[in-house]
Amino acid sequence: MKVLVTGATGFLGAALAASLEAKGHQVARLGSRNCDLTKAASLSAFDGVRYDQIYHLAAWTQAGDFCLSHPGEQWIVNQQINTNVLAWWRDSQPQAKLIAMGTSCSYSPNLELVEENYLDGTPIDSLFTYAMTKRMLYAGLLALSRQFGLKYLCLIPSTLYGPGYHTDGRQMHFIFDLIRKIIRGKLYGEPVVLWGDGRQARELVYVHDFVAAAMHLAAGVDNELVNIGAGQEHSIRHFAALICDEVGYDFERIEFDTSRYVGAKSKCLSVAKLGRLLPDFSRTPLDAGLKTTIEWFWSQREKLFPETEAEQAAA
Ligand SMILES: NC(=O)c1ccc[n+]([C@@H]2O[C@H](COP(=O)([O-])OP(=O)(O)OC[C@H]3O[C@@H](n4cnc5c(N)ncnc54)[C@H](OP(=O)(O)O)[C@@H]3O)[C@@H](O)[C@H]2O)c1
């Protein structure tokens, strides 16, 4: 197949593009350098090929408080990116199935995280703009499918983890931040301080499991919104204890700062629909996934754990 992947330079996109290529597909990898999606004309460079699938992963966001401090820019940039990709799909690639990424943040914290509720209620305030641009992306898929008969799939990942994350100093998703802090504690004796009492629960999906599920669903399921989650959540304490075991750091030395805000107590996607669509979907056990993720951290030690301030500035 001929496949175009937007966001192919990102954490998920790099893993997806490599898996597609390993299966023998011809993959066009797009990032902001070779195709700035805020500019509609940049996609015309890819008009010459008729793609079978378009995976649309590109989004302008980061973990931590990024969404809280950039809501206006995020609205403009992500609306431009999504509108340009959807317009190009309709005008130049209507034969392709478009597989887009939503986010669990789009769900209202007051409703069950089940697909029927994706457009209902109000997303959490701190992620409101990002969440709403993802809802609008889904609304665009529905609209183009309804009017022009285009085929889509909208996938909602829970937090992804695994090797190949960013090393450029940006804020990290919670599990990477946890690993980074515990390794720093081990290497430099820095205190490991976690926000909250550690009893808040989260779920994780190993990035390669997500890629496998996405590719299977893309092959056989049309015009659906599907959550891809672990089906099970764990406390931050549990994740920390597993990481401590693997890194060789005493869990009892971790301090919990209960004065800090940590968001929802619990957040777990319903995976009933995924279970019906992909009954054989197998997940990497958490301890095995964390092991390979931690090994990747050690392989990036020079970039992620510079010893001196000068090295930190250079990293
Ligand atoms: N990671 C998760 O846990 C998670 C969870 C739920 C949903 N998702 C969704 O999954 C998708 C991929 O996530 P990710 O973690 O891989 O994100 P990521 O690492 O931040 O990658 C974002 C990608 O978007 C590209 N991009 C940003 N602005 C662009 C622009 N103006 N033009 C073209 N490309 C642009 C980036 O290109 P450059 O590298 O050139 O900047 C990069 O390839 C996103 O849609 C995200 O919302 C991720």
Side-chain angles (χ1 to χ4, degrees):
M1 277 194 305
K2 296 187 173 78
V3 185
L4 180 136
V5 180
T6 75
T9 49
F11 170 53
L12 172 58
L16 172 68
S19 287
L20 287 164
E21 282 167 354
K23 293 265 181 218
H25 302 303
Q26 186 183 316
V27 181
R29 295 180 181 230
L30 274 56
S32 63
R33 289 194 177 180
N34 66 352
C35 184
D36 180 355
L37 293 169
T38 62
K39 299 183 171 61
S42 57
L43 276 162
S44 56
F46 300 87
D47 280 347
V49 175
R50 282 170 64 81
Y51 293 98
D52 301 291
Q53 293 180 342
I54 298 166
Y55 280 87
H56 176 37
L57 276 52
W60 190 65
T61 193
Q62 286 183 30
D65 62 5
F66 184 84
C67 294
L68 203 54
S69 49
H70 298 82
E73 286 169 277
Q74 267 204 316
W75 190 89
I76 292 171
V77 171
N78 286 327
Q79 293 288 90
Q80 285 175 331
I81 289 175
N82 293 337
T83 304
N84 289 335
V85 169
L86 265 56
W88 180 70
W89 175 40
R90 183 203 59 176
D91 294 342
S92 301
Q93 304 288 335
Q95 76 293 334
K97 183 193 284 193
L98 193 137
I99 302 108
M101 298 303 128
T103 173
S104 58
C105 313
S106 291
Y107 283 106
S108 161
N110 302 319
L111 297 173
E112 198 188 341
L113 277 56
V114 63
E115 287 86 346
E116 290 75 20
N117 291 339
Y118 191 68
L119 298 179
D120 292 342
T122 306
I124 186 171
D125 193 50
S126 56
L127 298 167
F128 179 80
T129 306
Y130 171 59
M132 292 304 278
T133 60
K134 287 291 194 181
R135 282 193 184 182
M136 282 305 290
L137 172 59
Y138 177 52
L141 300 174
L142 291 173
L144 295 190
S145 173
R146 192 168 297 165
Q147 186 176 353
F148 303 108
L150 306 188
K151 286 185 186 167
Y152 74 87
L153 188 61
C154 188
L155 303 177
I156 316 299
S158 62
T159 303
L160 302 170
Y161 78 111
Y165 194 69
H166 298 281
T167 57
D168 58 6
R170 71 179 69 178
Q171 297 186 63
M172 293 178 153
H173 284 86
F174 83 90
I175 191 69
F176 298 98
D177 194 46
L178 202 51
I179 296 173
R180 188 183 60 84
K181 281 181 176 162
I182 292 172
I183 293 182
R184 284 199 72 86
K186 163 90 177 168
L187 279 175
Y188 305 128
E190 288 179 6
V192 179
V193 183
L194 303 185
W195 287 17
D197 62 6
R199 303 200 190 280
Q200 66 275 27
R202 296 290 180 267
E203 65 165 324
L204 291 178
V205 171
Y206 194 57
V207 66
H208 295 297
D209 295 347
F210 180 87
V211 165
M215 287 168 61
H216 272 102
L217 292 171
V221 178
D222 289 342
N223 303 343
E224 294 282 356
L225 177 90
V226 187
N227 290 337
I228 302 186
Q232 191 184 15
E233 56 185 349
H234 299 283
S235 71
I236 297 295
R237 280 177 184 262
H238 182 73
F239 292 122
L242 289 176
I243 295 165
C244 284
D245 272 357
E246 187 60 36
V247 168
Y249 185 81
D250 182 4
F251 175 76
E252 297 303 324
R253 292 175 60 194
I254 293 182
E255 297 163 33
F256 291 93
D257 182 351
T258 51
S259 69
R260 308 302 292 250
Y261 173 71
V262 291
K265 263 279 174 216
S266 156
K267 191 174 146 187
C268 194
L269 291 173
S270 161
V271 289
K273 186 172 184 178
L274 178 65
R276 287 194 299 276
L277 293 169
L278 274 190
D280 297 331
F281 176 46
S282 71
R283 295 165 175 88
T284 302
L286 182 59
D287 53 353
L290 286 174
K291 187 173 171 21
T292 54
T293 310
I294 291 166
E295 281 165 3
W296 173 81
F297 266 84
W298 286 123
S299 76
Q300 302 297 313
R301 180 175 169 161
E302 281 180 21
K303 284 186 210 149
L304 289 170
F305 305 108
E307 279 185 58
T308 63
E309 280 184 16
E311 282 175 347
Q312 279 185 32

